[in-house]
Amino acid sequence: MSNQFDKPAHAADDWTIDQGWADYTVDEHKVWDTLYARLMQVLPNRAASEFMHGLTALKLDRGGIPNFETMSDELEALTGWRVVAVPGLVPDDVFFDHLANRRFPAGNFIRKPDQLDYIQEPDVFHDVFGHVPMLTDPIFADYMQAYGEGGLRSLRHASLKNLAALYWYTVEFGLIRTPEGLRIYGAGIVSSPAESVFSLEDDSPNRIGFDLERLMRTDYRIDDFQQTYFVIDSYEQLFRATVDTDFAPLYAEMHGKFDHKPEDVLDDDTVLHRGTQVYADRGGRFAA
Ligand code: PHE
Ligand code: CO
């Protein structure tokens, strides 16, 4: 999600472009394989089973940057979603419209070998490895479509900020409680080896039970590990809480503002872990 900027000349009206799969170099495919191998060291027993199943169902484990057409044929057969290539971030209305129509927009470029650990802009590895496996889960797939529809509606209320926090704390940085323990389903976490361990095992961040309004009122970090992770009990809980709630009165109350800081713990919170915030207090990834 992002603000308005100019559409590149080679993009269609809906901002889609050709993935240009045949043009990826050997080294670019190698970047994918290196990141994939690193994540396989940490994700088993940390990522949600739906995510791990999605990886294999879509054959994302066969090596190299996936071809969106082939992958979309597999995905469409499962949940009706397709992946379309875009040049990078797209305007909010375009992004929401794609989601509302069960199309996931993914950047087609891949990070350089010296950016393996951190990049600002989501690349094909984050977008595809991080987001697409969860779209094989039928309930999560419905949630993402509903989110797109809700996004189009939020634009009419000029209340994108609070809805964006919902995306951030679920789709990008969500955790889920399972009988086997906490698991990761957020794309921003599963595409980062370091945050995959940090989000589940570090004492620093808070881990707090999902509460729709609480989360929509909470500011977040975009340039470092999160200070708070919100934990759902099921995708059904997430879907029902968001779809059954009319956001219009919430937007009116929230005024596009955040009442809570990223690190806050409130009296009403269901606290699974109260973070020490040692990591953030030491300066996070910019620590000396
Ligand atoms: N129920 C929300 C609304 O009234 C739409 C929505 C659904 C938003 C699911 C996010 C996720 O706008
Ligand atoms: Co993302």
Side-chain angles (χ1 to χ4, degrees):
M1 271 175 280
S2 171
N3 294 320
Q4 308 302 313
F5 34 82
D6 289 337
K7 182 168 75 64
H10 63 295
D13 286 347
D14 65 359
W15 284 66
T16 57
I17 56 175
D18 189 78
Q19 184 194 2
W21 188 79
D23 298 333
Y24 291 123
T25 65
V26 170
D27 284 341
E28 286 177 323
H29 285 296
K30 226 166 85 188
V31 168
W32 173 284
D33 290 342
T34 303
L35 288 166
Y36 193 98
R38 278 196 197 176
L39 283 157
M40 285 311 116
Q41 302 290 315
V42 296
L43 291 185
N45 298 313
R46 287 199 180 91
S49 58
E50 294 77 10
F51 176 87
M52 297 305 286
H53 289 146
L55 280 181
T56 45
L58 297 173
K59 306 193 180 74
L60 294 183
D61 53 356
R62 72 178 143 200
I65 302 167
N67 182 319
F68 289 5
E69 281 300 312
T70 322
M71 176 175 63
S72 293
D73 290 344
E74 308 268 1
L75 179 59
E76 187 168 12
L78 292 169
T79 57
W81 276 77
R82 296 192 70 84
V83 177
V84 293
V86 291
L89 296 176
V90 300
D92 301 319
D93 59 326
V94 174
F95 178 74
F96 292 140
D97 189 67
H98 280 302
L99 295 187
N101 290 286
R102 288 173 109 84
R103 290 186 302 264
F104 191 79
N108 69 334
F109 65 95
I110 191 147
R111 68 195 75 186
K112 302 278 171 263
D114 62 352
Q115 301 171 303
L116 288 188
D117 290 311
Y118 192 82
I119 47 156
Q120 192 83 35
E121 256 214 309
D123 70 341
V124 64
F125 188 80
H126 166 80
D127 281 340
V128 171
F129 180 92
H131 285 281
V132 178
M134 285 305 298
L135 293 172
T136 63
D137 181 78
I139 302 172
F140 195 82
D142 285 352
Y143 173 67
M144 289 292 284
Q145 179 188 351
Y147 187 92
E149 291 162 355
L152 293 171
R153 189 166 178 230
S154 83
L155 294 177
R156 298 193 284 273
H157 292 265
S159 220
L160 189 53
K161 209 170 145 172
N162 301 107
L163 188 74
L166 173 63
Y167 191 87
W168 197 259
Y169 282 122
T170 61
V171 177
E172 294 289 358
F173 293 97
L175 299 180
I176 183 165
R177 203 147 45 157
T178 80
E180 291 78 40
L182 288 191
R183 292 290 185 268
I184 307 160
Y185 71 92
I189 311 179
V190 289
S191 55
S192 157
E195 192 157 6
S196 290
V197 176
F198 178 87
S199 65
L200 292 180
E201 278 137 77
D202 206 280
D203 280 342
S204 193
N206 302 315
R207 296 180 192 91
I208 294 174
F210 173 85
D211 175 302
L212 179 67
E213 276 198 49
R214 153 65 157 113
L215 190 150
M216 288 175 71
R217 291 178 193 275
T218 307
D219 201 359
Y220 49 87
R221 307 286 307 250
I222 59 163
D223 58 350
D224 208 335
F225 296 161
Q226 298 307 302
Q227 291 182 266
T228 297
Y229 297 93
F230 289 99
V231 182
I232 59 172
D233 286 315
S234 65
Y235 306 113
E236 186 71 29
Q237 173 199 29
L238 175 61
F239 180 75
R240 288 264 68 99
T242 48
V243 169
D244 293 346
T245 303
D246 178 3
F247 284 21
L250 299 183
Y251 292 148
E253 248 181 66
M254 294 178 189
H255 297 293
K257 292 204 194 73
F258 293 134
D259 299 321
H260 312 309
K261 296 194 291 295
E263 68 273 26
D264 285 353
V265 177
L266 311 179
D267 289 344
D268 292 343
D269 284 340
T270 305
V271 181
L272 307 182
H273 172 78
R274 181 181 288 263
T276 61
Q277 301 301 339
V278 163
Y279 172 82
D281 291 346
R282 283 187 185 150
R285 71 186 192 92
F286 307 104

